[in-house]
Amino acid sequence: MSVSATSPSLNRLLLLSPVLLTLLCLIAIPLGIMGYISLLPRNLYGGVDWSADWQWQSYVQLFFQEDFDGNLELNWVYAQALLRSVLQAGGNTLLCFLFGFPVALWMTSLSERSRNIMVLLITIPFWTNLLIRNYAWLIILREHGWLAQSLNALFPQAGGITLLYNDFAVVVGLVYSFLPFMILPIYSTLEKLDWRLVEAAYDLGANRWKALRRVILPLSMPGVVAGSLLVFVPSLGAFITPAILGGGKTLMIGNLIQQQFGTARNWPLGSSLSFLLLGLMLLALVLYALYAKKAAKAVRQGAR
């Protein structure tokens, strides 16, 4: 007998083996190595002391530090960087929604050919490396660039407007980088929307604002939640945009991790920070899964 006839489970395992091998080599093993490093102390000259026993020192350093007497006291440096990253990622997600939802809604009113062209135009920036795109904004927002000179000419009383190396430049770079991740999921949901429901709302006396708030927006929530997740998660760990457009003046969690593996050479602390960031991302994914489960349950109950 053939293998597929005698053992279907083995046959499925063989079919999945390339995917499982890829996940093992590119995700599971690197995460295991990083977890092992996070449990080791830092070497005297940087790196990792591979001969030492496991300990939780790097995780304790995330929230505590030792004073001169060896007592632990709260350390707010890393907590502030984490909180700043969460707030900036949340603000970026909100801005992407405010800009992306009207664009996605407008795209649904176009013809099929125009929709395809718009989707192409939105995805074109992904053909270029993120580093190059951030350097392009560096040229646009620089002090002697056309944008800064135009604003200073229009508002001379402002005393010299600076657009680069501040939070404004970081927000501009993040919104530009991740806005397509918000537009495309919302557009994909709105494209499947039954617009007869909107017409029924108009027939019942609703104006455009009420139809948008009571019909279109609730029905587009799966796309909004998916887009928010796709924007929030990479924004939380972004370090290229804050480093280039922010000038490294604002310490974010992504830049902090990069510094620990780079200049500071404190690999255990960098690994523990990475796992803390990974935990936050997993929390966001769990919340999304719970929302999707609740939404699916509501749909099933409505169908009954």
Side-chain angles (χ1 to χ4, degrees):
M1 294 185 179
S2 62
V3 175
S4 59
T6 56
S7 54
S9 59
L10 179 60
N11 192 30
R12 286 194 298 268
L13 181 61
L14 292 175
L15 292 174
L16 293 174
S17 58
V19 177
L20 296 176
L21 185 61
T22 302
L23 293 177
L24 178 65
C25 295
L26 299 182
I27 298 180
I29 293 179
L31 283 177
I33 295 174
M34 190 170 66
Y36 178 68
I37 292 176
S38 68
L39 297 175
L40 295 176
R42 180 178 182 267
N43 197 307
L44 182 62
Y45 301 103
V48 184
D49 186 2
W50 299 99
S51 60
D53 296 330
W54 289 9
Q55 52 186 272
W56 300 93
Q57 181 181 356
S58 62
Y59 289 96
V60 174
Q61 290 179 357
L62 296 178
F63 304 101
F64 299 95
Q65 63 181 359
E66 291 186 0
D67 57 14
F68 292 104
D69 298 328
N71 300 320
L72 293 178
E73 59 181 11
L74 288 175
N75 180 17
W76 297 104
V77 175
Y78 304 133
Q80 289 176 354
L82 180 62
L83 179 61
R84 192 181 301 114
S85 300
V86 171
L87 292 177
Q88 190 159 26
N92 180 46
T93 304
L94 179 61
L95 288 175
C96 286
F97 168 73
L98 294 177
F99 288 118
F101 187 86
V103 174
L105 185 60
W106 171 72
M107 289 173 59
T108 57
S109 64
L110 302 177
S111 62
E112 184 176 358
R113 182 173 180 272
S114 299
R115 292 182 186 182
N116 296 331
I117 294 176
M118 286 300 302
V119 171
L120 176 64
L121 293 176
I122 291 173
T123 55
I124 279 179
F126 292 110
W127 300 0
T128 307
N129 188 275
L130 179 62
L131 184 63
I132 299 176
R133 285 183 278 155
N134 279 275
Y135 269 108
W137 276 107
L138 187 67
I139 297 174
I140 295 173
L141 300 176
R142 63 182 178 176
E143 182 180 358
H144 300 291
W146 64 269
L147 183 57
Q149 289 183 348
S150 300
L151 291 176
N152 288 321
L154 292 174
F155 305 99
Q157 66 276 9
I161 299 176
T162 303
L163 301 177
L164 195 59
Y165 304 135
N166 50 34
D167 291 337
F168 170 77
V170 175
V171 170
V172 169
L174 289 176
V175 171
Y176 168 76
S177 300
F178 300 114
L179 183 59
F181 292 116
M182 180 67 74
I183 295 177
L184 294 178
I186 296 177
Y187 166 71
S188 178
T189 303
L190 291 176
E191 191 182 25
K192 303 179 181 66
L193 182 66
D194 188 357
W195 292 97
R196 292 176 299 179
L197 298 175
V198 181
E199 295 176 0
Y202 287 146
D203 294 338
L204 294 174
N207 53 26
R208 291 185 176 182
W209 168 247
K210 287 186 177 180
L212 175 65
R213 183 169 55 91
R214 302 291 295 272
V215 179
I216 298 177
L217 187 59
L219 293 177
S220 64
M221 283 308 295
V224 172
V225 174
S228 300
L229 190 64
L230 290 174
V231 172
F232 180 81
V233 170
S235 299
L236 187 61
F239 72 94
I240 293 180
T241 301
I244 295 178
L245 300 181
K249 295 181 179 179
T250 303
L251 186 62
M252 311 298 290
I253 189 68
N255 304 95
L256 183 60
I257 294 173
Q258 186 268 338
Q259 291 176 6
Q260 298 305 317
F261 282 102
T263 55
R265 289 184 53 80
N266 193 346
W267 292 9
L269 182 59
S271 299
S272 59
L273 285 168
S274 301
F275 270 99
L276 179 63
L277 182 61
L278 180 63
L280 290 176
M281 294 180 178
L282 288 177
L283 178 61
L285 291 174
V286 169
L287 293 177
Y288 172 72
L290 292 176
Y291 167 80
K293 182 178 180 180
K294 182 179 179 180
K297 183 178 179 181
V299 170
R300 289 195 299 267
Q301 290 178 350
R304 293 176 183 176

